[in-house]
Amino acid sequence: MNSLKNLDKLQPYPFERLKALFAGTQHTGGLTHVNLSIGEPKHPTPALIKQALIDNLDGLSVYPGTQGLPVLRKAISEWILRRFDALVDPETQVLPILGSREALFSFAQVVLDGCENDSHVVFPNPFYQIYEGATFLGGASPVFVNIDPARGLSNFHALSPDVLAKTKLMYVCSPNNPTGAVYSLEDWQKLFDLADEYNIVIASDECYSEIYLDGTAAPIGGLEAASRLGRSDYNNLIVFSSLSKRSNAPGLRSGYVAGDAELIKAFLRYRTYHGSAMSTTIQMASVAAWNDEEHVAENRRLYTEKFKAFSAILESKLELHIPPAGFYFWADVGQSDTAFAKRLFEQAHVTLLPGSFLGREVNGFNPGSNHVRIALVASLAECNEAACRIAQQIKNSL
């Protein structure tokens, strides 16, 4: 019965709420639909990944091992070294996962195993809803830390010592979804200080780490920060990443966790029972993806082009700030986000995600209110068309 009570705490997913918001609403203007609500990459999946799948179809005939093939763990550890200048042992500090979503959820069950009822999990607000679900089903209580509008990040240090003393797990997201803000080395140092003082495990969601403005510095990752700060054992740190955004392969369901060897050992034990081994066919396609950077650079170029074009069309109509990373605009529309999104769908056939659907009310305030998340995942032409329609709708409402 207790698990059912926890299950009942789960709120509808943002896209369920969006469907309910649009129920009974129809667009009657004859315009083609442009969907910028869901963060599903639409750029072509690289041919090298497709070819690797074809070349390794024999992998479908065998049961895969939970720890993954040595060649994949080696490819991931070598990519981490190239990208973050951080050494991880492919034998003890890396595991393949079926995309970051399932691992962000299941890892919490390892950390929260047998936790007391008043244990806490803290994370940013707005947030990726998996953090909340993992918290409830792990038997803990969520603590929502509102993002600072000026920085687009949450100040976990504002939490009281009483709350931090009961905190077992801290989800951080850099680059942040939905704001695109990134942690500095100083930010990471402060997070590590909290983790050390209160023995908190940091789960760093970095699935947007490779989507940043073309020609700018790459975001600092958790492993990189730990390495630079002399924490090469990655104590109480686990990083999550995937190929979904980096390599335009959301259907591959492939990623990795890396970090603290003791936490990896516990997570591997859990996953052996959980049934989350990756097909060897997928693993070999993943090796091909992690070993290639050319397609990733082209990906960044395409997103940068769309960011610049989209903001140029709307610069006089809507206050937009191109984020350091990620592929979202987090825009303050200065009015009800749900009303704005519903009217835009009905009159312009463009779908955006109301920001309040990504947040929770804390002390009477939802930090996602009056904001919308705009996912620039469609083609350049579609994004430009959507920007023009949004601009016209704003003009009509004046």
Side-chain angles (χ1 to χ4, degrees):
M1 285 296 292
N2 185 54
S3 61
L4 287 178
K5 290 179 181 178
N6 288 335
L7 193 63
D8 288 341
K9 295 176 184 177
L10 300 184
Q11 297 198 30
Y13 216 60
F15 304 106
E16 294 179 60
R17 297 179 66 183
L18 189 64
K19 183 178 179 181
L21 177 68
F22 291 166
T25 300
Q26 292 185 337
H27 170 69
T28 56
L31 296 171
T32 57
H33 182 222
V34 182
N35 188 355
L36 304 181
S37 65
I38 188 168
E40 181 181 57
K42 297 297 183 183
H43 297 165
T45 302
L48 63 91
I49 295 178
K50 297 177 181 179
Q51 189 60 52
L53 286 169
I54 294 170
D55 293 343
N56 291 279
L57 289 177
D58 286 347
L60 299 177
S61 65
V62 298
Y63 282 122
T66 305
Q67 191 174 12
L69 296 172
V71 66
L72 175 56
R73 286 183 277 113
K74 182 173 183 288
I76 292 169
S77 64
E78 289 177 346
W79 179 79
I80 290 172
L81 180 60
R82 291 194 303 271
R83 169 63 174 83
F84 298 110
D85 196 24
L87 282 170
V88 293
D89 186 342
E91 292 300 314
T92 62
Q93 294 179 309
V94 175
L95 280 179
I97 56 176
L98 304 182
S100 57
R101 177 175 177 163
E102 67 88 2
L104 285 164
F105 174 84
S106 57
F107 180 71
Q109 313 315 303
V110 174
V111 176
L112 298 175
D113 178 35
C115 74
E116 300 83 6
N117 290 333
D118 60 349
S119 294
H120 299 321
V121 176
V122 303
F123 44 86
N125 188 30
F127 60 94
Y128 182 40
Q129 197 156 327
I130 296 303
Y131 309 158
E132 181 186 55
T135 300
F136 283 139
L137 293 181
S141 299
V143 176
F144 308 104
V145 185
N146 290 357
I147 58 171
D148 176 355
R151 295 195 65 215
L153 296 169
S154 297
N155 180 15
F156 294 106
H157 304 83
L159 293 169
S160 71
D162 288 345
V163 170
L164 290 168
K166 295 179 180 179
T167 297
K168 290 185 173 295
L169 179 63
M170 175 186 298
Y171 283 108
V172 300
C173 185
S174 177
N176 180 268
N177 170 16
T179 70
V182 300
Y183 284 124
S184 66
L185 187 62
E186 181 182 3
D187 291 325
W188 279 111
Q189 178 67 76
K190 291 178 179 179
L191 288 172
F192 293 145
D193 288 345
L194 279 182
D196 289 344
E197 182 175 359
Y198 294 98
N199 193 29
I200 299 170
V201 173
I202 297 175
S204 181
D205 181 355
E206 302 182 9
C207 68
Y208 296 93
S209 71
E210 304 314 291
I211 311 299
Y212 52 92
L213 293 180
D214 198 20
T216 63
I220 297 174
L223 297 172
E224 177 182 3
S227 183
R228 289 170 62 179
L229 294 168
R231 304 172 61 92
S232 56
D233 62 351
Y234 310 119
N235 181 52
N236 272 349
L237 172 67
I238 292 290
V239 166
F240 302 73
S241 190
S242 85
L243 293 171
S244 296
K245 274 72 174 179
R246 175 190 180 269
S247 299
N248 304 314
L252 201 65
R253 308 314 301 141
S254 176
Y256 71 80
V257 293
D260 186 320
E262 288 302 311
L263 289 171
I264 291 289
K265 182 179 179 181
F267 197 30
L268 173 59
R269 185 180 184 187
Y270 175 89
R271 294 174 72 77
T272 302
Y273 282 82
H274 188 60
S276 49
M278 182 187 298
S279 163
T280 55
T281 300
I282 301 297
Q283 290 189 61
M284 294 309 297
S286 302
V287 170
W290 290 118
N291 285 340
D292 182 74
E293 287 297 320
E294 186 175 339
H295 74 277
V296 187
E298 173 62 10
N299 211 24
R300 283 194 288 272
R301 186 192 69 79
L302 292 172
Y303 282 121
T304 300
E305 184 179 30
K306 288 189 284 188
F307 267 120
K308 291 179 177 179
F310 197 93
S311 59
I313 293 170
L314 278 166
E315 61 183 356
S316 63
K317 301 291 190 299
L318 194 64
E319 187 176 352
L320 291 177
H321 301 283
I322 298 178
F327 50 51
Y328 302 117
F329 271 120
W330 180 243
D332 186 344
V333 294
Q335 58 183 286
S336 165
D337 51 304
T338 52
F340 181 88
K342 186 173 183 179
R343 185 171 64 252
L344 190 66
F345 175 78
E346 185 176 31
Q347 298 179 10
H349 218 190
V350 174
T351 301
L352 310 177
L353 187 66
S356 59
F357 291 179
L358 294 168
R360 295 291 181 265
E361 188 173 295
V362 177
N363 297 324
F365 173 66
N366 183 329
S369 295
N370 297 344
H371 287 73
V372 293
R373 193 188 73 176
I374 307 170
L376 296 189
V377 292
S379 68
L380 175 63
E382 289 175 305
C383 286
N384 286 349
E385 173 64 20
C388 290
R389 294 185 200 175
I390 294 169
Q392 186 60 49
Q393 285 301 308
I394 294 174
K395 180 180 178 181
N396 292 345
S397 65
L398 295 177

